[in-house]
Amino acid sequence: MAKCALIFSHACATAPITTTTTTKAHHHHHHRHISVKSLPFSSSSTNLNLSLNRNLKLNSLHPHHHNHHPHRPPSSLNSDVPHPNSLTLGLQQWDSLTANFSAASNIPFLLLQLPQIILNARNLLAGNKSALLAVPWLGMLTGLLGNLSLLSYFAKKREKEVIVVQTLGVLSQFVVFAQLAMADAMPFPYFVATSVLVVTGLLVNFLNYFYLLNDSVWRFWEDVITIGGLSALPQVMWSTFVPYIPNTILPGALAFVVAVAAVLMARLGKLSEKSTKFVGAISGWTATLLFMWMPVSQMWTNFLNPDNIKGLSPFSMLLAMIGNGLMIPRALLTRDFMWFLGSSWASFFYGYGNLACLYWFNSISKEFFLAATAGFVLWIGMALWRDTVVHGYNSPFTSLKELISGS
């Protein structure tokens, strides 16, 4: 399960599909978005997601996007800031760079998945099928659902680079599922159901991305993701603390009933507009929170079994920190709080947090840990500083305030 968290944003994501508005040739289609993006996966509905397109302030950079918001807020056009033309140029360059950063996150995430796939292949070729029993397919299935939710979120936002990240996450996990099925480590009926889910999810998302999908089909898919995500989150959180608490499926079952009821009421028009938007945002936030919970689960495991910390790979934790960290500047620029929260959380708590645990238990050198710390701090500082500059603000707190408030 810990491996699944690394795709968030896989970061995260971190983290979330909600009802959001996408634009095609100045025509608005209302959908639910998942974000995950951001995230991480989902659209906190029209508000949360389109605060991205709104606050992106890049309508002048992407004239094909219909945006009713001004390129820059009036507060940034004071006499003590650079000329608007220079700000626009800087914003264009930073927009391009952050998109490239997101695309580059595919490298660490791909490197993170390949070792497990290669190891499974070696064991299969050697006839050592029992070795694959150690791979938790049920936990990976939860991560797969999160990745599909985040894929829907980012596809709706047209974040091409992150769509590739989430798609690779889905495909790499599916390869592992196929290996587990060949080793009889995953029941075949569950593998068939998973295969149908993967094919359907990829097909629906990419048809929707290219505006080739009927709205009713997309809404049904969003409902499936919402119900699945809301059911999985409390169950995963509960299971983390077993056997200290009773082992039961009650949390997931109760959440499933609530999710079905909420979706039905929203579709039947029994909820207010605000409540309907909230239901649309559920899937994105549940996917993001699911990926955010995985580092917590890992930390809890480390606390209970300190000796197991030696089984963590410092290289894998470093890749997790880098992969999620590469998405932070883009999430900040687009003012996508869900994406920013999921990616930052995964980068800090999963990647850097586990490196700190490894250092505490003398599993990595002081030099390695200090270098990782310095790189992480400098990267976050650079992202905040650059965003402040391209918007003509005097303080990074202004950018963070916009990110959190969506204004």
Side-chain angles (χ1 to χ4, degrees):
M1 237 157 84
K3 291 183 181 296
C4 305
L6 306 178
I7 304 298
F8 178 67
S9 247
H10 119 38
C12 179
T14 117
I17 292 175
T18 72
T19 307
T20 188
T21 306
T22 56
T23 305
K24 178 185 180 184
H26 302 283
H27 180 64
H28 294 275
H29 301 269
H30 296 282
H31 296 294
R32 180 185 68 78
H33 116 115
I34 157 179
S35 166
V36 140
K37 180 186 95 8
S38 333
L39 78 15
F41 23 191
S42 44
S43 43
S44 87
S45 71
T46 302
N47 278 8
L48 185 73
N49 259 317
L50 271 273
S51 81
L52 156 109
N53 292 334
R54 167 189 64 65
N55 228 331
L56 189 60
K57 305 182 183 84
L58 296 178
N59 41 337
S60 63
L61 312 185
H62 308 291
H64 58 284
H65 282 191
H66 185 68
N67 195 331
H68 294 293
H69 297 272
H71 169 63
R72 296 190 45 70
S75 61
S76 65
L77 297 178
N78 298 328
S79 59
D80 60 342
V81 299
H83 191 277
N85 287 339
S86 64
L87 290 174
T88 299
L89 179 59
L91 197 58
Q92 287 177 325
Q93 294 173 339
W94 187 233
D95 174 50
S96 177
L97 275 175
T98 56
N100 289 335
F101 291 152
S102 293
S105 66
N106 281 290
I107 298 175
F109 286 140
L110 187 59
L111 292 175
L112 198 61
Q113 296 298 314
L114 281 178
Q116 183 67 59
I117 294 174
I118 294 173
L119 179 61
N120 290 344
R122 288 176 176 174
N123 284 321
L124 282 173
L125 291 174
N128 185 20
K129 294 184 177 181
S130 60
L132 277 73
L133 293 173
V135 181
W137 69 268
L138 190 57
M140 288 190 63
L141 189 60
T142 304
L144 177 66
L145 181 61
N147 280 122
L148 285 172
S149 295
L150 293 174
L151 173 60
S152 298
Y153 174 69
F154 290 114
K156 182 173 290 186
K157 298 182 74 170
R158 302 299 186 266
E159 288 284 350
K160 294 183 291 185
E161 295 79 11
V162 193
I163 290 173
V164 175
V165 173
Q166 298 301 332
T167 301
L168 287 179
V170 170
L171 292 177
S172 63
Q173 289 185 80
F174 181 72
V175 170
V176 175
F177 284 130
Q179 293 175 324
L180 295 178
M182 287 188 287
D184 298 322
M186 178 182 186
F188 187 72
Y190 287 99
F191 174 69
V192 173
T194 301
S195 301
V196 173
L197 178 65
V198 169
V199 172
T200 302
L202 292 177
L203 184 62
V204 167
N205 276 289
F206 283 96
L207 286 176
N208 185 66
Y209 178 82
F210 291 107
Y211 303 103
L212 299 174
L213 192 69
N214 183 276
D215 285 354
S216 60
V217 176
W218 177 252
R219 284 195 297 270
F220 177 75
W221 169 252
E222 289 182 318
D223 291 342
V224 170
I225 294 296
T226 297
I227 294 172
L230 188 56
S231 302
L233 178 62
Q235 188 62 50
V236 169
M237 296 175 70
W238 180 275
S239 300
T240 299
F241 302 106
V242 173
Y244 295 92
I245 56 178
N247 187 5
T248 175
I249 63 170
L250 185 60
L254 290 176
F256 175 80
V257 173
V258 172
V260 171
V263 167
L264 286 177
M265 291 179 68
R267 293 306 179 202
L268 294 175
K270 302 297 183 180
L271 300 178
S272 64
E273 182 180 355
K274 184 176 181 180
S275 297
T276 301
K277 289 181 178 180
F278 176 76
V279 172
I282 288 177
S283 66
W285 276 107
T286 53
T288 298
L289 293 173
L290 184 63
F291 285 118
M292 290 174 65
W293 182 257
M294 289 183 179
V296 176
S297 179
Q298 182 67 61
M299 294 293 185
W300 175 251
T301 301
N302 296 345
F303 174 75
L304 295 178
N305 304 290
D307 291 340
N308 289 352
I309 194 72
K310 296 178 181 179
L312 290 179
S313 167
F315 184 63
S316 294
M317 296 303 104
L318 183 64
L319 288 173
M321 185 182 78
I322 294 174
N324 287 287
L326 283 170
M327 295 191 175
I328 293 176
R330 184 69 179 176
L332 178 61
L333 174 66
T334 58
R335 298 299 189 261
D336 190 320
F337 181 60
M338 191 181 296
W339 188 5
F340 181 85
L341 180 62
S343 296
S344 300
W345 184 280
S347 186
F348 183 79
F349 284 98
Y350 190 86
Y352 182 76
N354 278 307
L355 287 177
C357 288
L358 288 168
Y359 174 67
W360 180 263
F361 290 102
N362 299 314
S363 294
I364 59 174
S365 67
K366 180 179 181 180
E367 292 74 16
F368 184 96
F369 178 67
L370 290 179
T373 301
F376 183 70
V377 172
L378 289 173
W379 179 256
I380 299 300
M382 181 279 298
L384 290 172
W385 166 77
R386 189 60 183 166
D387 191 87
T388 302
V389 170
V390 298
H391 288 94
Y393 298 146
N394 295 320
S395 169
F397 290 107
T398 305
S399 293
L400 292 174
K401 181 181 178 181
E402 287 187 349
L403 173 72
I404 297 172
S405 67
S407 60

